[in-house]
Amino acid sequence: MNQDTLIVSNWKMNLNFDSATQLINKIKKIKFPNSSKIKNIVCPQFLLIPQISKLVMRSKIILGSQDCHHKISGSFTGDSSLELLKHSERRICHYENNMMVRKKVDFVLANKLNPIVCVGESLKERQNGKYLETISKQLDECLPEKLKSIVIAYEPVWSIGSGSTPTFKEISEINDYTNNFLCKQKKIQKVSFLYGGSVNSKNFFDIMNHCNVNGALIGGSSIKFDEINKILLYA
Ligand code: PGA
């Protein structure tokens, strides 16, 4: 595979100052083989970002944010003006729709940062066969045209934190569909396709090998050093 492998650790609302420091210090000590093409991206919760950003300086770890507001400043109580990321838990818990996601994507791109746009269907949509409709609508409404590149994370809502994952065939279908859609309909030149949802050190390698993905977005397993260590070392 010519593209880099993106391993995105989404720490969500986990870890405190001590445990986050311990985890990042251990991750910094991992010795990657010279051949490694990993991009190791860590997304802490907002209050941890200043501390983690100091700790990752001069390391190869890339700092990401789990969300941001689509404006640089203003009277938005509780929101944070920052970089990247979109997530279905934001869609569900904060009632964000595709239009909001699109505003954030535009804002992030205008600020020369790289968004990771998450798409994925609900269990009902998977069961009633409407999942491709949902995903094409999300891709269509959340993304502008003619980008040089974009990172998409396919995260079926029913798989997040549940321990269930789609089959390799199901992930591959969405991978092909997304690449075709973005190339043809949106004229986007390069798509990095990640899978997210109950990824762990046991299923990661099979998903990578069978589904031709460019990496993974990892929640629960990313805050356990033994798990993320195995994933990073052998990705
Ligand atoms: P999970 O979360 O790995 O705990 O399922 C994935 C995500 O939502 O980022």
Side-chain angles (χ1 to χ4, degrees), residues 10 12 87 89 155 159-162 196-199 217-221:
N10 177 8
K12 307 195 183 189
H87 200 273
E89 284 161 359
E155 297 218 305
S159 172
I160 297 173
S162 69
S198 297
V199 173
L217 205 168
I218 304 165
S221 298

PDB file of all heavy atoms in Angstrom, residues 10 12 87 89 155 159-162 196-199 217-221, ligand 1:
ATOM      1  N   ASN A  10      -9.050   8.112  19.449  1.00  0.00           N
ATOM      2  CA  ASN A  10     -10.082   9.035  19.925  1.00  0.00           C
ATOM      3  C   ASN A  10     -10.310   8.731  21.407  1.00  0.00           C
ATOM      4  O   ASN A  10     -11.003   7.777  21.749  1.00  0.00           O
ATOM      5  CB  ASN A  10     -11.366   8.808  19.106  1.00  0.00           C
ATOM      6  CG  ASN A  10     -12.508   9.681  19.590  1.00  0.00           C
ATOM      7  OD1 ASN A  10     -12.320  10.563  20.431  1.00  0.00           O
ATOM      8  ND2 ASN A  10     -13.692   9.430  19.061  1.00  0.00           N
ATOM      9  N   LYS A  12     -11.942  10.275  23.484  1.00  0.00           N
ATOM     10  CA  LYS A  12     -13.276  10.682  23.958  1.00  0.00           C
ATOM     11  C   LYS A  12     -13.156  11.403  25.317  1.00  0.00           C
ATOM     12  O   LYS A  12     -12.164  12.073  25.556  1.00  0.00           O
ATOM     13  CB  LYS A  12     -14.213   9.475  24.021  1.00  0.00           C
ATOM     14  CG  LYS A  12     -14.249   8.729  22.697  1.00  0.00           C
ATOM     15  CD  LYS A  12     -15.393   7.777  22.608  1.00  0.00           C
ATOM     16  CE  LYS A  12     -15.307   7.029  21.280  1.00  0.00           C
ATOM     17  NZ  LYS A  12     -16.463   6.227  20.996  1.00  0.00           N
ATOM     18  N   HIS A  87     -17.908  13.501  14.572  1.00  0.00           N
ATOM     19  CA  HIS A  87     -18.166  12.199  15.176  1.00  0.00           C
ATOM     20  C   HIS A  87     -19.660  11.947  15.341  1.00  0.00           C
ATOM     21  O   HIS A  87     -20.409  12.855  15.636  1.00  0.00           O
ATOM     22  CB  HIS A  87     -17.478  12.186  16.538  1.00  0.00           C
ATOM     23  CG  HIS A  87     -17.273  10.808  17.019  1.00  0.00           C
ATOM     24  ND1 HIS A  87     -18.219  10.127  17.729  1.00  0.00           N
ATOM     25  CD2 HIS A  87     -16.240   9.964  16.838  1.00  0.00           C
ATOM     26  CE1 HIS A  87     -17.759   8.920  17.994  1.00  0.00           C
ATOM     27  NE2 HIS A  87     -16.562   8.794  17.453  1.00  0.00           N
ATOM     28  N   GLU A  89     -21.225  10.480  17.669  1.00  0.00           N
ATOM     29  CA  GLU A  89     -21.715  10.783  19.007  1.00  0.00           C
ATOM     30  C   GLU A  89     -22.073  12.263  19.103  1.00  0.00           C
ATOM     31  O   GLU A  89     -22.907  12.644  19.898  1.00  0.00           O
ATOM     32  CB  GLU A  89     -20.671  10.387  20.064  1.00  0.00           C
ATOM     33  CG  GLU A  89     -20.652   8.885  20.279  1.00  0.00           C
ATOM     34  CD  GLU A  89     -19.396   8.367  20.933  1.00  0.00           C
ATOM     35  OE1 GLU A  89     -18.499   9.162  21.229  1.00  0.00           O
ATOM     36  OE2 GLU A  89     -19.324   7.165  21.132  1.00  0.00           O
ATOM     37  N   GLU A 155     -17.874   4.853  10.389  1.00  0.00           N
ATOM     38  CA  GLU A 155     -18.180   4.401  11.744  1.00  0.00           C
ATOM     39  C   GLU A 155     -19.658   4.085  11.837  1.00  0.00           C
ATOM     40  O   GLU A 155     -20.472   4.978  12.118  1.00  0.00           O
ATOM     41  CB  GLU A 155     -17.864   5.524  12.746  1.00  0.00           C
ATOM     42  CG  GLU A 155     -16.427   5.929  12.813  1.00  0.00           C
ATOM     43  CD  GLU A 155     -16.020   6.238  14.236  1.00  0.00           C
ATOM     44  OE1 GLU A 155     -16.671   7.071  14.874  1.00  0.00           O
ATOM     45  OE2 GLU A 155     -15.062   5.629  14.717  1.00  0.00           O
ATOM     46  N   SER A 159     -21.918   0.050  15.747  1.00  0.00           N
ATOM     47  CA  SER A 159     -20.686  -0.655  16.076  1.00  0.00           C
ATOM     48  C   SER A 159     -19.861   0.076  17.138  1.00  0.00           C
ATOM     49  O   SER A 159     -19.020  -0.530  17.802  1.00  0.00           O
ATOM     50  CB  SER A 159     -19.868  -0.818  14.787  1.00  0.00           C
ATOM     51  OG  SER A 159     -18.610  -1.315  15.086  1.00  0.00           O
ATOM     52  N   ILE A 160     -20.144   1.372  17.298  1.00  0.00           N
ATOM     53  CA  ILE A 160     -19.315   2.168  18.210  1.00  0.00           C
ATOM     54  C   ILE A 160     -19.507   1.708  19.654  1.00  0.00           C
ATOM     55  O   ILE A 160     -20.624   1.727  20.168  1.00  0.00           O
ATOM     56  CB  ILE A 160     -19.645   3.668  18.066  1.00  0.00           C
ATOM     57  CG1 ILE A 160     -19.302   4.135  16.658  1.00  0.00           C
ATOM     58  CG2 ILE A 160     -18.904   4.491  19.108  1.00  0.00           C
ATOM     59  CD1 ILE A 160     -19.729   5.552  16.354  1.00  0.00           C
ATOM     60  N   GLY A 161     -18.432   1.256  20.251  1.00  0.00           N
ATOM     61  CA  GLY A 161     -18.444   0.854  21.657  1.00  0.00           C
ATOM     62  C   GLY A 161     -19.284  -0.376  21.959  1.00  0.00           C
ATOM     63  O   GLY A 161     -19.507  -0.706  23.117  1.00  0.00           O
ATOM     64  N   SER A 162     -19.752  -1.069  20.924  1.00  0.00           N
ATOM     65  CA  SER A 162     -20.696  -2.169  21.160  1.00  0.00           C
ATOM     66  C   SER A 162     -20.033  -3.543  21.147  1.00  0.00           C
ATOM     67  O   SER A 162     -20.624  -4.524  21.562  1.00  0.00           O
ATOM     68  CB  SER A 162     -21.764  -2.154  20.064  1.00  0.00           C
ATOM     69  OG  SER A 162     -21.164  -2.523  18.826  1.00  0.00           O
ATOM     70  N   GLY A 196     -13.858   2.682  11.770  1.00  0.00           N
ATOM     71  CA  GLY A 196     -13.943   2.891  13.219  1.00  0.00           C
ATOM     72  C   GLY A 196     -15.172   2.212  13.788  1.00  0.00           C
ATOM     73  O   GLY A 196     -16.232   2.187  13.142  1.00  0.00           O
ATOM     74  N   GLY A 197     -15.051   1.680  14.982  1.00  0.00           N
ATOM     75  CA  GLY A 197     -16.165   0.996  15.643  1.00  0.00           C
ATOM     76  C   GLY A 197     -15.682  -0.329  16.199  1.00  0.00           C
ATOM     77  O   GLY A 197     -15.455  -1.276  15.442  1.00  0.00           O
ATOM     78  N   SER A 198     -15.458  -0.359  17.533  1.00  0.00           N
ATOM     79  CA  SER A 198     -15.044  -1.595  18.222  1.00  0.00           C
ATOM     80  C   SER A 198     -13.775  -2.223  17.651  1.00  0.00           C
ATOM     81  O   SER A 198     -13.643  -3.447  17.596  1.00  0.00           O
ATOM     82  CB  SER A 198     -16.191  -2.621  18.221  1.00  0.00           C
ATOM     83  OG  SER A 198     -17.281  -2.108  18.952  1.00  0.00           O
ATOM     84  N   VAL A 199     -12.843  -1.367  17.215  1.00  0.00           N
ATOM     85  CA  VAL A 199     -11.555  -1.900  16.746  1.00  0.00           C
ATOM     86  C   VAL A 199     -10.691  -2.226  17.966  1.00  0.00           C
ATOM     87  O   VAL A 199     -10.634  -1.453  18.923  1.00  0.00           O
ATOM     88  CB  VAL A 199     -10.813  -0.869  15.856  1.00  0.00           C
ATOM     89  CG1 VAL A 199      -9.413  -1.359  15.505  1.00  0.00           C
ATOM     90  CG2 VAL A 199     -11.615  -0.577  14.595  1.00  0.00           C
ATOM     91  N   LEU A 217      -9.955   4.338  13.196  1.00  0.00           N
ATOM     92  CA  LEU A 217     -10.270   5.325  14.225  1.00  0.00           C
ATOM     93  C   LEU A 217     -10.686   4.517  15.461  1.00  0.00           C
ATOM     94  O   LEU A 217     -11.640   3.754  15.407  1.00  0.00           O
ATOM     95  CB  LEU A 217     -11.421   6.212  13.745  1.00  0.00           C
ATOM     96  CG  LEU A 217     -11.535   7.608  14.350  1.00  0.00           C
ATOM     97  CD1 LEU A 217     -12.528   8.437  13.549  1.00  0.00           C
ATOM     98  CD2 LEU A 217     -11.955   7.602  15.782  1.00  0.00           C
ATOM     99  N   ILE A 218      -9.927   4.681  16.533  1.00  0.00           N
ATOM    100  CA  ILE A 218     -10.044   3.742  17.644  1.00  0.00           C
ATOM    101  C   ILE A 218     -10.437   4.466  18.925  1.00  0.00           C
ATOM    102  O   ILE A 218      -9.765   5.423  19.342  1.00  0.00           O
ATOM    103  CB  ILE A 218      -8.683   3.022  17.844  1.00  0.00           C
ATOM    104  CG1 ILE A 218      -8.283   2.349  16.521  1.00  0.00           C
ATOM    105  CG2 ILE A 218      -8.774   1.989  18.961  1.00  0.00           C
ATOM    106  CD1 ILE A 218      -6.850   1.924  16.453  1.00  0.00           C
ATOM    107  N   GLY A 219     -11.518   4.028  19.524  1.00  0.00           N
ATOM    108  CA  GLY A 219     -11.988   4.645  20.763  1.00  0.00           C
ATOM    109  C   GLY A 219     -11.487   3.889  21.977  1.00  0.00           C
ATOM    110  O   GLY A 219     -10.358   4.079  22.438  1.00  0.00           O
ATOM    111  N   GLY A 220     -12.307   2.986  22.487  1.00  0.00           N
ATOM    112  CA  GLY A 220     -12.014   2.259  23.730  1.00  0.00           C
ATOM    113  C   GLY A 220     -10.617   1.662  23.808  1.00  0.00           C
ATOM    114  O   GLY A 220      -9.951   1.771  24.836  1.00  0.00           O
ATOM    115  N   SER A 221     -10.161   1.053  22.716  1.00  0.00           N
ATOM    116  CA  SER A 221      -8.846   0.398  22.766  1.00  0.00           C
ATOM    117  C   SER A 221      -7.695   1.395  22.744  1.00  0.00           C
ATOM    118  O   SER A 221      -6.557   1.025  23.031  1.00  0.00           O
ATOM    119  CB  SER A 221      -8.676  -0.567  21.586  1.00  0.00           C
ATOM    120  OG  SER A 221      -9.639  -1.566  21.656  1.00  0.00           O
TER     121      SER A 221
HETATM  122  P1  PGA B   1     -14.882   2.449  19.834  1.00  0.00           P
HETATM  123  O1  PGA B   1     -15.149   3.947  19.367  1.00  0.00           O
HETATM  124  O2  PGA B   1     -13.574   2.018  19.253  1.00  0.00           O
HETATM  125  O3  PGA B   1     -14.865   2.512  21.329  1.00  0.00           O
HETATM  126  O4  PGA B   1     -16.014   1.633  19.305  1.00  0.00           O
HETATM  127  C1  PGA B   1     -14.844   4.330  18.072  1.00  0.00           C
HETATM  128  C2  PGA B   1     -15.171   5.795  17.914  1.00  0.00           C
HETATM  129  O5  PGA B   1     -16.338   6.127  18.002  1.00  0.00           O
HETATM  130  O6  PGA B   1     -14.286   6.631  17.768  1.00  0.00           O
END
